[in-house]
Amino acid sequence: MATDMRAGLAVDGGSDLKMILSYVDCLPTGNERGLFYTLDLGGTNFRVLRTQLGGKDDRVIATEFEQVSIPQDLMFGTSEELFDFIASALAKFVKKEGGKFVLPDGRSRETGFAFSFPVKQTSIDSGILIKWTKGFAVSGTPGKDVVACLNEAMKRQGLDMRVSALVNDTVATLAGARYWDNDVMVAVILGTGTNACYVESVDAILKLNGQKTTSRRTIVNTEWGAFSNGLPLTEFDREMDAESINPGEQVCILAKLTPNISSIQQDTSEDLEAVGTILYEAIGVDSNLDARKMVVEVCDTIAKRGGRLAGAGIVGILQKMEEDSKGIVFGKRTVVAMDGGLYEHHPQYRRYLKDAVTELLGPELSSNVVIEHSKDGSGIGAALLAATNSIYEH
């Protein structure tokens, strides 16, 4: 993992790990003030949020959001139609602004754009869409700057707002957690998909080729879902990979890890009655106790393997950081912010992940590594990155 990270930082395409530059050079400090919005587009629903920030003393004064479903036909329509629909929902949301939400005098509204599709980022507020995923087939956007598409749509809606930061959900999660805790160095999402990002020294990013940056550190998005080099794959992994849309890519993915696996592991009754009910309702099977025990063991094996792989990935990132910048990680408190439904709702998986980190690092080093759940940190995180990259002084 650490070797592939370095190869991906040296040159684009140098590794399975894309090691995408986020252009996030300023992390939240707590001094941010004012009203900032977030547009969070990551699938068939998107969220619009507003957050009132009050500086070091008051921090997050208030936040509120709305969720909007994207009509099916717009997922196969034109770029203008999709972005007009999004900008129109944003404009309606802005009209309800009031109460604790106050835009300081003389300012235009600013928003963070959390966009969880493959993008080649070109600056903190621009990025070219590589391709749509997650069931979208919108024409006219691939190859274009998604921020420009949104800005033009907001202008057509008469909405006076600018995008100050374009980020993916993992980067926004790190920023959101870092706002409350300066020791946050890594963020991981474990949900339908999985990804990780971390704070990197600019000197370690050889592919920058001497490009000027305003900071000595930035966030790098690993896109670790694409990592497969050296992973121990079973015949079932190979079969699933061969039947997937992109064989050889996204090998490290949790296919249909339904709530059933977690529910099955929660059944502690002697006759495993809940397991029997799940088997009957999910696949129409009447089961005896031996069959139920076998199913529990299989589910436990899958959860354990998944948790240990994620734990090993986290250790790979921490070791790479420590080897390249002695003393930056080990020997002091280091926080890994975790988000995503799998991590949140599956207690055994969480335990296996933490156990793997302890086992790989040893009791002494692992005692300084804090793995914290950062629920829905990406929404406020994107607003905070809009604030740190605001055109206005704080």
Side-chain angles (χ1 to χ4, degrees):
M1 176 97 189
T3 303
D4 270 37
M5 286 171 73
R6 289 193 188 94
L9 289 172
V11 60
D12 277 335
S15 141
D16 275 354
L17 296 172
K18 291 192 171 64
M19 306 303 282
I20 297 166
L21 305 178
S22 67
Y23 294 89
V24 171
D25 296 335
C26 310
L27 283 161
T29 61
N31 292 319
E32 295 78 14
R33 287 176 178 276
L35 174 62
F36 295 92
Y37 280 77
T38 300
L39 167 62
D40 187 354
L41 176 62
T44 49
N45 298 313
F46 66 89
R47 291 186 311 157
V48 286
L49 301 88
R50 61 179 143 245
T51 306
Q52 190 78 34
L53 300 170
K56 271 277 194 286
D57 296 335
D58 298 321
R59 295 283 175 152
V60 177
I61 293 169
T63 184
E64 62 184 3
F65 74 93
E66 280 179 14
Q67 187 148 308
V68 183
S69 288
I70 296 174
Q72 190 76 26
D73 58 323
L74 288 185
M75 292 172 66
F76 301 94
T78 67
S79 188
E80 276 198 6
E81 288 167 342
L82 175 65
F83 280 97
D84 278 349
F85 177 78
I86 291 167
S88 150
L90 193 48
K92 282 180 196 148
F93 184 62
V94 167
K95 280 194 177 129
K96 297 177 195 166
E97 183 183 289
K100 290 182 177 173
F101 300 95
V102 182
L103 185 70
D105 288 344
R107 287 193 183 189
S108 295
R109 289 177 183 82
E110 295 179 285
T111 186
F113 188 7
F115 185 77
S116 301
F117 295 90
V119 160
K120 177 157 178 50
Q121 193 114 7
T122 46
S123 74
I124 187 60
D125 59 359
S126 62
I128 309 299
L129 177 68
I130 297 165
K131 63 177 179 182
W132 286 108
T133 54
K134 305 178 190 180
F136 282 74
V138 177
S139 63
T141 334
K144 288 219 176 118
D145 177 1
V146 291
V147 172
C149 293
L150 178 59
N151 280 336
E152 286 157 18
M154 290 194 295
K155 204 175 282 178
R156 287 193 293 271
Q157 294 294 328
L159 177 58
D160 180 19
M161 184 182 276
R162 69 180 289 276
V163 176
S164 299
L166 172 70
V167 290
N168 84 348
D169 55 352
T170 321
V171 171
T173 296
L174 195 153
R178 180 75 173 229
Y179 180 68
W180 299 105
D181 189 335
N182 279 334
D183 293 334
V184 174
M185 298 295 279
V186 181
V188 177
I189 305 255
L190 287 160
T192 311
T194 179
N195 194 13
C197 69
Y198 70 105
V199 178
E200 180 60 280
S201 160
V202 167
D203 296 338
I205 309 171
L206 301 182
K207 64 184 176 185
L208 271 175
N209 292 325
Q211 251 175 276
K212 289 281 180 286
T213 59
T214 54
S215 167
R216 300 313 314 144
R217 297 204 289 181
T218 186
I219 298 176
V220 172
N221 165 18
T222 66
E223 288 292 332
W224 82 359
F227 181 66
S228 58
N229 186 14
L231 277 185
L233 300 180
T234 67
E235 61 185 285
F236 308 108
D237 298 314
R238 295 182 199 285
E239 197 176 300
M240 185 178 78
D241 181 43
E243 289 172 14
S244 72
I245 304 170
N246 302 308
E249 295 178 36
Q250 303 290 330
V251 175
C252 181
I253 197 159
L254 303 151
K256 290 188 179 173
L257 190 58
T258 65
N260 289 347
I261 289 187
S262 181
S263 304
I264 283 167
Q265 288 188 280
Q266 308 317 314
D267 186 355
T268 54
S269 64
E270 273 186 40
D271 61 354
L272 297 174
E273 187 185 345
V275 175
T277 304
I278 289 167
L279 289 173
Y280 185 76
E281 288 176 354
I283 49 177
V285 167
D286 273 320
S287 56
N288 61 26
L289 185 56
D290 282 347
R292 292 174 197 176
K293 282 180 177 171
M294 194 184 295
V295 167
V296 169
E297 192 174 338
V298 169
C299 288
D300 191 59
T301 302
I302 291 168
K304 188 173 194 175
R305 179 192 190 224
R308 288 176 68 77
L309 278 173
I314 290 166
V315 170
I317 290 174
L318 294 174
Q319 284 187 340
K320 188 263 168 217
M321 292 168 77
E322 175 66 18
E323 283 163 12
D324 290 3
S325 311
K326 289 277 184 283
I328 196 169
V329 175
F330 300 149
K332 64 180 186 192
R333 184 174 178 271
T334 301
V335 179
V336 180
M338 309 288 293
D339 198 7
L342 173 61
Y343 185 81
E344 183 181 353
H345 299 302
H346 200 332
Q348 278 90 344
Y349 180 92
R350 277 202 304 276
R351 194 179 75 240
Y352 288 136
L353 184 153
K354 289 178 176 177
D355 286 351
V357 171
T358 303
E359 184 184 323
L360 288 164
L361 288 178
E364 192 181 333
L365 291 181
S366 65
S367 65
N368 292 315
V369 176
V370 181
I371 296 176
E372 271 183 4
H373 183 213
S374 174
K375 183 170 170 55
D376 192 30
S378 62
I380 288 179
L384 287 162
L385 288 171
T388 57
N389 291 283
S390 169
I391 53 172
Y392 305 104
E393 296 242 340
H394 287 296

